[in-house]
Amino acid sequence: MAKIIDGKAISAQIRAELKEETEAFVKATGVRPGLAVIIVGNDPASQVYVRNKRRACEEVGYYSEAYELPENTTQEELNALVDRLNADNKIHGILCQLPLPKHLDENEVILRIDPKKDVDAFHPYNVGKIMIGDYAFLPCTPAGVMALLERSGIEISGKECVVVGRSNIVGKPQAMLLLHANGTVTVCHSRTKNLAEVCRRADILVAAIGKADFFTGDMVKEGAVVIDVGMNRRADGKLTGDVDFASVEPKASYITPVPGGVGPMTITMLMQNTLTSAKNSVK
């Protein structure tokens, strides 16, 4: 029977710490951390994320701005907004909600955001710093996974870690962070041969492929730590992860549920990055 890693509880604990830290920082410097969120178009899921980010800012005591731009916003208009936010001293973090409408170039926007305000850590400058282990910010979801492991007392050093998924947002940075923590890391993907066999080697398995209930009990080693980054919706409308919880939970030593595992940590790590950026702005 696995121990459930409660992302909601750990997230709440970190946010309480951030609120206290922020109050002390504002008192000492007069600077309040500020986050600007940009959303283009009317994607309902993105709008929910933006609302959640605004609420999180209120909870920890940050200043926030939200820009909800119409679907037909041009690249020039979006670039001009990013330039304005780059120059705004009240704003320490800029986040552009992805995906953007097809006529807009996501890479152009990512490159345009000042790396010092890139609280998603998507800019190549920040990606490079993560690679060498000298970073200010970490991508929010992988950072959330690391915080869950650390606060659950799970040792990474010397462990066999398998990350399934190689996206720039989760898989690649997750592998790098586990490597920095002295894990022995294997990255798997759609072309990996004998995937189940590789997964069964894992002391720590990170599932991040976006396929509902893909990882079953026969793919997991007895006593493994299983981190489910997936967020999928079944035909009946219920949320589920990439891991078939019912068959994996009896074999694992620790497991994250969906919802309530990695999900709550992502926005909390965004708050952490925004405070880090504000602190760096007064150095």
Side-chain angles (χ1 to χ4, degrees), residues 82-101:
V82 170
D83 289 346
R84 184 160 67 75
L85 294 171
N86 279 339
D88 188 341
N89 291 335
K90 296 194 306 298
I91 299 299
H92 305 99
I94 303 169
L95 183 149
C96 187
Q97 192 70 47
L98 304 179
L100 291 171

Side-chain angles (χ1 to χ4, degrees), residues 114-271:
D114 182 343
K116 294 187 185 71
K117 298 187 177 187
D118 168 39
V119 286
D120 259 335
F122 290 167
H123 193 289
Y125 174 84
N126 287 324
V127 173
K129 285 180 79 68
I130 292 161
M131 179 69 71
I132 62 173
D134 173 28
Y135 45 78
F137 310 126
L138 292 173
C140 299
T141 299
V145 169
M146 298 304 285
L148 288 176
L149 292 169
E150 181 187 335
R151 291 190 180 232
S152 300
I154 295 163
E155 181 67 49
I156 299 168
S157 183
K159 297 289 177 66
E160 189 89 29
C161 305
V162 174
V163 179
V164 189
R166 54 175 167 177
S167 72
N168 291 333
I169 294 172
V170 179
K172 288 177 187 172
Q174 188 69 72
M176 198 50 55
L177 296 188
L178 289 165
L179 192 60
H180 289 323
N182 299 316
T184 300
V185 183
T186 302
V187 180
C188 299
H189 44 77
S190 58
R191 303 292 175 89
T192 300
K193 291 179 180 175
N194 305 318
L195 178 61
E197 192 180 303
V198 179
C199 290
R200 280 193 292 272
R201 295 205 311 256
D203 300 310
I204 300 172
L205 175 66
V206 181
I209 58 169
K211 289 187 178 179
D213 305 321
F214 179 85
F215 296 88
T216 50
D218 62 339
M219 298 173 74
V220 176
K221 180 166 84 171
E222 196 75 44
V225 175
V226 179
I227 305 292
D228 191 350
V229 181
M231 185 71 79
N232 313 290
R233 209 168 278 282
R234 289 195 186 111
D236 62 7
K238 284 186 179 174
L239 280 175
T240 185
D242 290 354
V243 174
D244 176 41
F245 190 89
S247 69
V248 171
E249 187 266 342
K251 289 186 76 174
S253 58
Y254 288 83
I255 191 168
T256 58
V258 176
V262 175
M265 297 297 292
T266 299
I267 292 178
T268 298
M269 293 299 107
L270 174 66
M271 298 298 108

